[in-house]
Amino acid sequence: MNECLFCKIAAGAIPAKTVYENDVVLAFHDINPQSKAHVLLIPKKHAQGLNDLNALDDGTLSALLRAAKEVARLLGIQDSGYRLVSNCGEDGRQSVQHLHFHILGGERLSDRMV
Ligand code: AMP
Ligand code: ZN
C-alpha cells in the first residue's frame, strides 16, 4: 500500500473514528480537534488536494459535498451551522497530501477565516 496516511485510513489499515461512509467517501473525527465538532471528510480514492481534482470523477466530487451535509446532520450541527474548509498547499497549510475537507462546528466559530 502507498504511504499516504489517509489512504491507509480509507483502507482500514490505520484506525479512525468513522462518522459516515459510503462507497466513495469516508468521514472520521480529527485526531486533534480544533472545535467541539471537527470531522475530516475524504474521498477513498487518492487525490492530492484541491489542485488534483482531475484524479476524481464528478460523482465522487458531488458525493463529497453531499456527504458534508450528511455529516453535519449526523453531528447534530446542521441547523446551528458549520464551516467546510480544505487547506491547499504551503500557504494554505495543508499537512496531509490527500484531499480532505474539515467540517467544523458545535460552537460559535471565529468571525475571521485566518
Ligand atoms: P491539514 O492541515 O488541512 O492537512 O489537516 C490535516 C488534519 O489531519 C489535521 O487537522 C490533523 O489533526 C488530522 N490528522 C492527522 N493524522 C490524523 C489521524 N491519524 N486521524 C485523524 N486525523 C488526523
Ligand atoms: Zn491518499
Side-chain angles (χ1 to χ4, degrees):
M1 186 187 301
N2 73 49
E3 289 305 305
C4 172
L5 173 64
F6 288 175
C7 280
K8 287 181 178 169
I9 287 177
I14 290 178
K17 289 190 197 162
T18 299
V19 174
Y20 174 80
E21 170 170 30
N22 66 25
D23 285 352
V24 291
V25 308
L26 175 69
F28 52 94
H29 287 281
D30 196 292
I31 205 169
N32 182 24
Q34 297 192 29
S35 55
K36 279 188 183 149
H38 186 175
V39 165
L40 297 174
L41 173 64
I42 66 169
K44 289 184 175 177
K45 185 171 186 284
H46 184 84
Q48 265 208 265
L50 286 174
N51 285 342
D52 188 30
L53 296 187
N54 285 345
L56 302 173
D57 59 41
D58 287 350
T60 300
L61 291 174
S62 64
L64 283 164
L65 276 183
R66 293 185 191 287
K69 198 200 88 169
E70 178 61 8
V71 168
R73 190 187 69 78
L74 291 168
L75 294 173
I77 62 172
Q78 183 174 1
D79 295 333
S80 52
Y82 54 96
R83 191 171 282 165
L84 187 63
V85 174
S86 186
N87 296 327
C88 181
E90 292 260 329
D91 281 357
R93 297 273 190 163
Q94 181 179 3
S95 65
V96 177
Q97 308 305 312
H98 180 127
L99 177 66
H100 54 282
F101 293 92
H102 299 259
I103 300 162
L104 300 151
E107 62 184 302
R108 194 81 159 177
L109 300 176
S110 166
D111 61 355
R112 290 176 56 84
M113 292 287 289
V114 293

